[in-house]
Amino acid sequence: MLADRVEIESALKALKECQQREGVANCILCKHAQTCNQKKDFANKTQENLNQKQETLKACQESKGLKSCLNCTEILECDTRNNYVSAVYLSMNKGNGGNFEF
């Protein structure tokens, strides 16, 4: 799990450095955004991370006989759920280094 986080942080750092070199605040404004391997790499890593966290969350819910975290007594202190929420946040920006595409 720590290795996954380090990989994502490394990809995000590379993305931010690229944005600085290109003189843009985010990838959306970059003329290379459509073909950028760093942007694609970050998006792929965050999607893989999200998929893993979602599987872990579902397994936890199933083990407790729940269909949702909302009915769980541990909802506010749950590392599994908090890790999933963080993964969702990271995946939402689609490699734009903190800016979201809805």
Side-chain angles (χ1 to χ4, degrees):
M1 299 250 188
L2 180 59
D4 294 336
R5 185 70 186 170
V6 169
E7 260 189 63
I8 291 170
E9 288 176 6
S10 176
L12 180 58
K13 182 180 178 188
L15 198 63
K16 292 291 189 182
E17 289 170 354
C18 181
Q19 289 169 350
Q20 286 181 332
R21 279 192 310 274
E22 293 296 324
V24 295
N26 61 63
C27 294
I28 295 170
L29 302 174
C30 182
K31 62 185 174 186
H32 306 289
Q34 298 300 318
T35 59
C36 181
N37 288 331
Q38 288 176 321
K39 182 178 184 289
K40 288 176 188 174
D41 184 48
F42 182 73
N44 289 338
K45 282 181 171 53
T46 56
Q47 187 61 49
E48 289 172 16
N49 182 53
L50 176 60
N51 293 343
Q52 290 172 351
K53 301 299 188 229
Q54 187 174 30
E55 288 177 23
T56 302
L57 183 73
K58 286 180 180 181
C60 180
Q61 290 171 345
E62 288 175 13
S63 74
K64 294 179 180 185
L66 300 171
K67 294 186 181 204
S68 168
C69 294
L70 295 176
N71 297 323
C72 183
T73 59
E74 300 172 34
I75 189 170
L76 297 177
E77 300 86 25
C78 180
D79 286 338
T80 301
R81 183 176 181 277
N82 290 338
N83 289 337
Y84 172 73
V85 170
S86 293
V88 169
Y89 175 83
L90 278 173
S91 73
M92 287 174 68
N93 79 38
K94 305 290 185 205
N96 288 316
N99 296 293
F100 296 107
E101 292 178 4
F102 290 101

